[in-house]
Amino acid sequence: MKRLLVLRLSALGDVIHTIPAVVGLKQDHDVTWVVEAPYRELVEIVAGVKTIPVRMKKEPKTALQAVREMRGFDAAIDFQGLIKSAMLPWAARVPDRYGFEHPREKLAGWLSNRNVPVDPTRHVIDQNLELAAAIGPLRPMGPIGPSWPSFPQEIQAEGAIILLPGAGKPNKIWPYFRELAKSIGPRALVVWGPGERALAEATQARMAPPTNLRQLAFLLKNAEVVIGGDTGPLHLAAALGTKVIGLYGPTDPRRNGPYGQLERVIDRFRSTKSMQSISVEEVMNTLERVASE
């Protein structure tokens, strides 16, 4: 059994896309995950591994503390492919440092000494599994089923149709959530994150209160269907086994779609690449089909 470091610092969707590979590794190895502090609890609960939290942007000194904690490990796997992620195990003198043969930043490849080729046309989860397999055989991951506590405020999530109006980039935002919420009626529940309150209020639908990641997961787990663009909460819902409808324009769902539910994606990547070209009628028709499955 090796002592392994896993590096995927952020963001939410990318952390979720790394969980299957980490779960596959932890069956035969002692795994510790280096991750941005806001995602620490989610990683510990869902992936079931120890963590070394960092705050690379807000508190750079945490990187120095992380390097000290990373010493003595046998190998590290950088799933992020950036200089900031690759430099941590390099600075900690971890002897075997695995990374993608073609990382997102070229210098990251120079900091690794075990560069692994993967198929860039496959889904990002499959690419992560290919990278992890360089360590050895992986155990398959079963369904995620942590025991989430009841939501601390009174809110009915069971059977709700959750709407996710936010997204990391403006071109991923679908502009018709207000019309969709009106069509769905009282079952519509808008869930939102930091900086997304105005988008949520604009839907004029029932709004969930502010949530941390643990509370967010509780809502997503108990929903009937979750509808949103290419965003972290949509991927979390899919990982939790909830039915999702993905709205995709500028990003390719074959690489970044909700894993295991690509047939439930409304895809404009191969045509207009515009979120505006997805109609409310098309989403409602898809919702009727998905809800009945």
Side-chain angles (χ1 to χ4, degrees):
M1 176 180 286
K2 290 183 177 181
R3 295 188 67 214
L4 295 181
L5 278 172
V6 164
L7 295 106
R8 177 75 237 195
L9 308 178
S10 62
L12 177 59
D14 297 309
V15 168
I16 293 164
H17 284 154
T18 309
I19 287 175
V22 173
V23 172
L25 286 167
K26 76 170 189 174
Q27 310 301 322
D28 297 312
H29 304 286
D30 180 8
V31 178
T32 298
W33 191 328
V34 185
V35 68
E36 286 282 345
Y39 308 113
R40 178 182 190 176
E41 184 179 33
L42 185 69
V43 164
E44 291 178 345
I45 293 173
V46 178
V49 297
K50 295 169 290 191
T51 58
I52 297 176
V54 295
R55 295 182 183 272
M56 298 289 281
K57 292 183 179 179
K58 295 184 178 180
E59 301 175 30
K61 289 183 179 179
T62 61
L64 299 177
Q65 175 62 31
V67 168
R68 287 192 286 268
E69 293 184 47
M70 291 165 63
R71 291 180 180 139
F73 281 80
D74 300 309
I77 309 177
D78 176 19
F79 289 98
Q80 191 139 3
L82 298 180
I83 296 171
K84 67 178 181 180
S85 56
M87 74 176 184
L88 293 173
W90 175 82
R93 299 180 182 178
V94 178
D96 291 324
R97 301 181 301 278
Y98 292 80
F100 294 110
E101 184 178 47
H102 299 290
R104 293 163 61 191
E105 293 180 348
K106 188 174 182 179
L107 183 57
W110 298 346
L111 296 171
S112 301
N113 57 9
R114 299 285 188 274
N115 295 317
V116 180
V118 302
D119 183 352
T121 66
R122 301 185 70 191
H123 194 283
V124 65
I125 287 180
D126 293 317
Q127 294 183 45
N128 288 337
L129 289 169
E130 284 188 69
L131 176 57
I135 293 286
L138 303 180
R139 303 285 185 93
M141 177 179 177
I144 296 175
S147 177
W148 301 104
S150 297
F151 200 81
Q153 303 181 42
E154 288 188 13
I155 186 166
Q156 181 59 42
E158 191 77 32
I161 308 298
I162 286 184
L163 309 182
L164 304 172
K169 295 181 180 179
N171 65 346
K172 294 183 181 182
I173 293 175
W174 188 57
Y176 307 126
F177 273 106
R178 177 178 175 179
E179 293 83 353
L180 179 64
K182 185 177 180 180
S183 297
I184 293 172
R187 294 178 66 199
L189 174 65
V190 180
V191 174
W192 51 283
E196 296 175 353
R197 179 184 284 273
L199 282 172
E201 291 175 342
T203 67
Q204 298 186 351
R206 181 169 61 111
M207 286 176 54
T211 60
N212 58 32
L213 282 177
R214 192 182 183 97
Q215 295 162 348
L216 171 65
F218 171 82
L219 293 178
L220 298 175
K221 179 71 174 176
N222 286 280
E224 180 176 349
V225 181
V226 175
I227 305 173
D230 180 13
T231 185
L234 185 82
H235 298 298
L236 178 56
L240 291 168
T242 302
K243 296 177 182 178
V244 305
I245 297 173
L247 310 179
Y248 277 68
T251 52
D252 188 350
R254 292 173 298 181
R255 184 187 186 279
N256 294 97
Y259 198 68
Q261 301 194 48
L262 298 186
E263 74 283 358
R264 294 171 178 162
V265 169
I266 299 176
D267 179 12
R268 290 293 184 273
F269 181 76
R270 277 171 287 281
S271 56
T272 65
K273 291 184 169 57
S274 171
M275 298 293 282
Q276 292 183 347
S277 65
I278 300 174
S279 70
V280 174
E281 181 182 10
E282 188 174 7
V283 177
M284 286 299 297
N285 289 338
T286 304
L287 175 59
E288 182 178 354
R289 171 176 63 84
V290 170
S292 65
E293 292 175 347

